[in-house]
Amino acid sequence: MAVSSTPTRPDQPAPAARAPRRPRGEGQWALGHREPLNPNERIKKDDDPLNVRDRIENIYAHRGFASIDPQDLRGRFRWWGLYTQRKAGIDGGRTAVLEPHELEDEFFMLRVRVDGGQLNLAQLRVIAEISREFARDTADITDRQNIQYHWIRVEDMPEIWRRLEAVGLQTTEACGDCPRIVLGSPVAGVARDELLDPTPAIDEIVRRYVGDKQFSNLPRKFKTSISWLVDTPYEANDIAFLGVDHPEHGPGFDVWVGGGLSTNPMLAKRLGVWVPLHEVPDVWAGVVGIFRDYGYRRLRNRARLKFLVADWGVERFREVLEKDYLGRALLDGPAAELPAKPVDHIGVHPQRDGANYVGAAPVVGRVSGTQLAALADVVEAHGSDRVRLTPYQKLLVLDVAPERTEELVTALRGIGLAARPSAWRRGTMACTGIEFCKLAIVETKRRGEELVARLEERLRDFDADISIHLNGCPNACARTQVADIGLKGQLVVGPDGRQVEGFQVHLGGGLGMAAGQTAGFGRKLRGLKTTADDLPEYVERLARRYLAGRTDGESFANWVIRVDEEELR
């Protein structure tokens, strides 16, 4: 074979060596990679998403759904809590096949921020009123302490915002690549074991930064938890402040960064610092600033803060935070002390002021405007003005006189809220699922309700705490990987060989919520799946085996680790 070449004369210089290829950038602004690298980044660069509210109020609300620009509809609307909901009748097998416009209905899911989970009666009544008037009586409590509506029309958004904002509520940045709702303890300010109420820090963060354009374009969503008590899923957040009593400096907060679940779960890591209450907003803003400037924007599936923390390590992350964003060193601090057992606040508990609070459970977070209006009446009739939402799809009534507590428990039961629920109702959560979510593959809320009812009937006296989290897709909105029984929705092969709704099973996961607990993700056994129809039978069988085979005081998670795989099938 002939080879063509150009000879080099002896007096000619040798060809210059090729310069080494520059590593491909990850879209980090601080390193000069400002050019948008995917459609989501282009949408944010073209127009700050917060600007879309003006178009909603002045154009889309008057001209209707068909007038909405696609980039606003599927992108910027999220910054105001709005997602298009799934069109009815589209099965899970078509979720990843159809184009967005084929999946979506002309209605919206709307999230209302309830930062710290704190509601007064005026706010609760407005939430109920909007549900009944504009959302077909839907109003789910999410595991982010939000209220989530469905069937919202764009034409109604100006009036919805007017009513919410009149009582101090908002939907600003309830979704989108921005700071989402700040989780907080539902008993902040009243708990007997709380040395420092973090509510002022939560309020200051929301006041300063929610809706501020300096943080309205982050690489992905940013989740926060601030609580003195160990009663929020702090290890699953981008940043978490957890109460700790420093031996020299007194009450303050331990800081964790880089948590997140979804399809690539990671637990948050301790920075090893102690932060006083008044510095929490500044430290929070510093961490968000690092994420904005150094977060990976090239690929959406690597754009969460957890990937940066994993690559940098805690030591470097702390160094950059102190030198470049705070301009000062942070104090070293001890780890927080964990309670003897996990805390979920369900039932009757004493407050520090002598009153009681009562925690009650709907089923898998599903409530309605009618039910919430009835709740407001019950709460008012028993002398309280304060309701709290929890990160476990439950709710609390604060400030109940001891002599009226049992009367309140009975009244709550009368409107479908159990203050002394079964272990199954208490421990089961479910995401939105295929009923409304465009990403979902299977139904979750109805399946969760059916599962709880079956287990209450067959295992009414079950005496252990088992958490069951149902998720309609791999994205883990219901924290699938850190449940005793985590159920990830997918299509499975049914008895007749056809694909049907089902779940991949994760077993024995959990967070570090109590002394002696080791945080970790659920055990996935090869081929361990169940159809949705067989789910109640499978969970019942598993629970009975646990009851029969556990040692004295052995938790479900420890039993899962110990027993042979066949016991888990």
Side-chain angles (χ1 to χ4, degrees), residues 459-531:
L459 291 169
R460 179 172 297 276
D461 297 325
F462 189 78
D463 65 350
D465 294 324
I466 291 184
S467 57
I468 304 173
H469 297 182
L470 294 89
N471 218 84
C473 75
N475 288 321
C477 293
R479 301 195 290 271
T480 320
Q481 303 98 327
V482 292
D484 287 313
I485 302 175
L487 300 163
K488 182 175 74 175
Q490 59 181 223
L491 297 180
V492 302
V493 178
D496 61 358
R498 297 182 181 181
Q499 286 192 324
V500 296
E501 289 191 0
F503 298 92
Q504 182 186 57
V505 181
H506 302 235
L507 295 173
L511 299 174
M513 305 297 290
Q517 282 189 344
T518 301
F521 303 124
R523 183 178 178 185
K524 290 189 292 184
L525 305 184
R526 184 182 298 275
L528 182 52
K529 301 174 183 178
T530 176
T531 66

Side-chain angles (χ1 to χ4, degrees), residues 417-431:
L417 299 171
R420 296 188 178 96
S422 68
W424 307 113
R425 180 189 280 221
R426 185 173 188 159
T428 303
M429 298 198 310
C431 75

Side-chain angles (χ1 to χ4, degrees), residues 217-277:
N217 182 356
L218 302 179
R220 284 292 298 272
K221 57 190 170 186
F222 187 86
K223 295 184 176 182
T224 303
S225 171
I226 306 176
S227 176
W228 176 268
L229 300 177
V230 186
D231 58 357
T232 68
Y234 64 96
E235 291 166 297
N237 283 265
D238 295 282
I239 188 170
F241 295 84
L242 196 59
V244 63
D245 195 10
H246 194 286
E248 297 178 38
H249 304 289
F253 293 90
D254 187 27
V255 182
W256 296 65
V257 294
L261 299 179
S262 192
T263 55
N264 197 330
M266 299 182 195
L267 297 175
K269 300 174 176 62
R270 287 189 65 236
L271 275 187
V273 302
W274 177 87
V275 176
L277 177 64

Side-chain angles (χ1 to χ4, degrees), residues 8 43 45 169 210 237 270 289 297 378 395 480 500 516 521 523 554:
T8 302
I43 287 172
K45 182 179 181 182
L169 293 173
V210 172
N237 283 265
R270 287 189 65 236
R297 294 174 182 262
V378 166
L395 59 87
T480 320
V500 296
F521 303 124
R523 183 178 178 185
E554 185 176 33

Side-chain angles (χ1 to χ4, degrees), residues 86 103 148 165 189 206 229 282 325 383 389 392 396 401 431 442 470 496 560:
R86 187 187 192 94
L103 273 172
Q148 187 163 287
E165 291 166 2
V206 173
L229 300 177
D282 290 338
Y325 289 82
L389 308 181
Y392 303 94
L396 276 59
C431 75
V442 304
L470 294 89
D496 61 358
V560 164

Side-chain angles (χ1 to χ4, degrees), residues 36-101:
L37 295 164
N38 60 58
N40 300 82
E41 290 298 311
R42 171 62 63 188
I43 287 172
K44 291 182 287 183
K45 182 179 181 182
D46 288 347
D47 183 36
D48 190 293
L50 291 173
N51 294 336
V52 79
R53 176 160 172 174
D54 182 69
R55 293 193 287 278
I56 293 172
E57 292 183 312
N58 296 309
I59 300 175
Y60 304 144
H62 301 281
R63 298 181 184 176
F65 187 90
S67 70
I68 303 172
D69 182 281
Q71 289 195 344
D72 285 345
L73 180 67
R74 301 182 189 104
R76 302 182 188 101
F77 266 41
R78 298 178 183 183
W79 274 250
W80 290 97
L82 290 158
Y83 281 92
T84 49
Q85 71 184 38
R86 187 187 192 94
K87 191 177 296 182
I90 299 177
D91 63 67
R94 301 168 70 193
T95 295
V97 176
L98 298 179
E99 294 296 322
H101 70 276

Side-chain angles (χ1 to χ4, degrees), residues 98-137:
L98 298 179
E99 294 296 322
H101 70 276
E102 297 174 297
L103 273 172
E104 65 196 6
D105 209 338
E106 295 188 0
F107 298 94
F108 294 88
M109 177 200 80
L110 175 65
R111 288 182 186 152
V112 179
R113 295 182 71 115
V114 187
D115 291 277
Q118 301 190 14
L119 290 171
N120 59 41
L121 279 187
Q123 293 169 331
L124 182 61
R125 291 192 186 282
V126 166
I127 286 171
E129 174 187 89
I130 290 171
S131 167
R132 291 187 292 183
E133 190 168 340
F134 301 111
R136 301 189 188 181
D137 212 26

